[in-house]
Amino acid sequence: MKRRFAPILKMAASHHGGEEAALAKSVNAHSVKRLEKVPGDRLLSIMTRCVFNAGFNWKVIEAKWEGFETAFEGFDPAKLAFFGDEMMDHLVTDERIVRNGQKIRATLENAKFVAEFENNQGGFGRFLAGWPGEDQAGLLDVLNKRGSRLGGATGQYFLRFAGWDAWIASSHVCAALVREGVLDKPVATSKRDLASLQSAINAYHDDSGLPRAQISRLLAMSVG
């Protein structure tokens, strides 16, 4: 039987001031109209922020972000990919950024990852924009295997903040999907669980016509 989204929207509305208010609150503020036009340096910047946010206080990273932009040469993928090894020793002592060696190294490795697409496939933004929305799980697999420290929630947040129409498997989203009989536990980390989550969100998207990122947020809001 086809999954219907109306009951979930009704639950979200009951917790958040009615349907109109719930829909307004759930819009993805990071959405962009032309993702293929977003420069590689801006995508690498967003990617790096997501990597550093993981396990850190986001406000600390936000307060230092101007220093990150300067220290990482504006996140120019080609420059960081070419000079990365030479820059490593300097960056781990640079007080303008959070001096976490593993995450700094991940940024330099991700510069090479992004630069590949910038050089050979017309841009990383074009690659992201061309990936089918019904297969976010597949795109997350690419980020995890070819990027550095982009697995799990970090990859999901990167896609959302970059403007891709991305769901996030948060605890509230997973709790809602347990309630709906999609998942059997309030966490989705295995390929099987992510496939089930993806299938449900695709069905809700087909039923409601709403963007997948908005569906994800409404699922979370339906919990309370």
Side-chain angles (χ1 to χ4, degrees):
M1 179 176 168
K2 184 177 180 182
R3 297 190 185 281
R4 306 309 302 264
F5 192 66
I8 295 170
L9 176 56
K10 186 175 181 179
M11 280 185 276
S14 71
H15 293 301
H16 295 274
E19 184 173 316
E20 185 176 344
L23 288 170
K25 289 178 183 178
S26 60
V27 170
N28 179 16
H30 304 283
S31 180
V32 296
K33 291 183 178 180
R34 300 291 301 276
L35 181 55
E36 69 274 15
K37 298 293 186 181
V38 178
D41 62 282
R42 292 305 85 206
L43 293 171
L44 181 58
S45 174
I46 295 166
M47 186 183 291
T48 302
R49 188 182 291 226
C50 290
V51 168
F52 274 87
N53 278 343
F56 281 98
N57 185 314
W58 289 23
K59 291 183 179 179
V60 171
I61 305 303
E62 173 68 26
K64 283 182 167 285
W65 199 250
E66 185 176 342
F68 272 84
E69 288 281 352
T70 303
F72 282 100
E73 303 283 348
F75 291 102
D76 182 329
K79 184 179 291 186
L80 293 181
F82 188 79
F83 291 110
D85 291 337
E86 297 175 24
M87 294 175 66
M88 184 67 192
D89 289 342
H90 170 69
L91 287 168
V92 294
T93 62
D94 195 324
E95 295 184 355
R96 294 173 295 183
I97 65 174
V98 173
R99 291 165 289 174
N100 181 294
Q102 291 182 330
K103 296 190 176 194
I104 293 169
R105 173 62 67 187
T107 299
L108 300 176
E109 291 175 355
N110 285 332
K112 295 177 183 178
F113 170 48
V114 173
E116 279 186 53
F117 289 93
E118 293 293 299
N119 295 332
N120 303 319
Q121 298 194 36
F124 191 52
R126 176 172 292 185
F127 164 72
L128 293 175
W131 195 275
E134 65 270 19
D135 185 30
Q136 180 178 328
L139 181 52
L140 290 170
D141 194 49
V142 172
L143 294 176
N144 185 38
K145 289 179 177 177
R146 296 185 62 179
S148 179
R149 303 180 76 90
L150 295 176
T154 301
Q156 296 167 28
Y157 276 108
F158 162 66
L159 291 177
R160 172 75 64 81
F161 293 164
W164 206 81
D165 186 25
W167 44 259
I168 293 175
S170 69
S171 59
H172 282 173
V173 168
C174 291
L177 293 176
V178 169
R179 183 194 65 215
E180 300 301 317
V182 174
L183 301 175
D184 56 15
K185 56 186 183 300
V187 62
T189 53
S190 71
K191 285 189 176 182
R192 178 183 176 183
D193 289 339
L194 289 174
S196 296
L197 185 154
Q198 179 78 75
S199 178
I201 288 185
N202 287 345
Y204 294 140
H205 168 75
D206 292 342
D207 179 53
S208 68
L210 293 172
R212 291 175 177 84
Q214 189 170 21
I215 288 169
S216 171
R217 298 193 69 185
L218 287 165
L219 279 165
M221 291 165 64
S222 75
V223 173

